[in-house]
């Protein structure tokens, strides 16, 4: 049986987006910088991807310009990713909560292995 998705929010990910998601679905699971000894603030993208992999988390990031390159390199090196969702930082919260909720409710962690996508969807 596949596991439910757990999110890892990158260091600069807007907490207001996470707070809005939790208000709608308090049982959603995620890690963020500062949780359980996790410090993402000084980590470059490749190390953030590696940490998300070790934690089996789908990574939420605002790094829409740099992350696709690092994600491709990470996979090319033979690593496994539990997925990346890129969200431009200026995206209104209302355009983020519903898609993330849909991903969490309708998908399993296995379905996001080595996948990268962007919200809002185009």
């Amino acid at each position: 049986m596949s596991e439910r998705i757990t999110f890892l929010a990158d260091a600069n990910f807007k907490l207001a987006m996470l707070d809005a998601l939790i208000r709608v679905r308090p049982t959603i699971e995620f890690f963020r910088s500062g949780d359980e000894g996790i410090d993402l603030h000084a980590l470059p993208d490749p190390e953030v991807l590696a940490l998300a992999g070790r934690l089996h988390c789908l990574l939420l990031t605002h790094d829409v310009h740099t992350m696709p390159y690092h994600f491709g390199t990470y996979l090319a090196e033979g690593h496994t990713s539990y997925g990346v969702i890129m969200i431009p930082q200026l995206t209104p919260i209302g355009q983020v909560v519903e898609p993330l909720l849909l991903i969490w409710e309708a998908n399993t962690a296995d379905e996001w292995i080595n996948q990268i996508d962007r919200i809002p969807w185009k």
Side-chain angles (χ1 to χ4, degrees), residues 8 40 43-55 57 59 66-75 79-84 116:
L8 172 65
L40 302 172
L43 294 182
D45 289 348
E47 291 181 35
V48 172
L49 285 165
L51 178 60
R54 286 193 303 275
L55 295 173
C57 289
L59 178 63
T66 60
M67 192 55 75
Y69 170 79
H70 293 296
F71 181 78
T73 301
Y74 184 77
L75 295 182
H79 302 291
T80 298
S81 168
Y82 286 81
V84 175
I116 188 168

Side-chain angles (χ1 to χ4, degrees), residues 40-106:
L40 302 172
H41 286 92
L43 294 182
D45 289 348
E47 291 181 35
V48 172
L49 285 165
L51 178 60
R54 286 193 303 275
L55 295 173
H56 295 207
C57 289
L58 194 157
L59 178 63
L60 303 176
T61 184
H62 293 308
D63 295 334
V64 298
H65 299 292
T66 60
M67 192 55 75
Y69 170 79
H70 293 296
F71 181 78
T73 301
Y74 184 77
L75 295 182
E77 291 172 349
H79 302 291
T80 298
S81 168
Y82 286 81
V84 175
I85 299 289
M86 300 176 300
I87 304 167
Q89 193 153 8
L90 298 179
T91 304
I93 292 172
Q95 292 180 12
V96 173
V97 172
E98 187 173 329
L100 286 178
L101 189 58
L102 180 62
I103 289 167
W104 185 76
E105 289 180 339

Side-chain angles (χ1 to χ4, degrees), residues 22-39:
I22 291 168
R23 277 194 300 278
V24 174
R25 191 71 71 239
T27 57
I28 215 159
E29 294 183 34
F30 68 89
F31 294 104
R32 60 184 163 199
S33 198
D35 289 345
E36 300 181 29
I38 297 171
D39 183 7

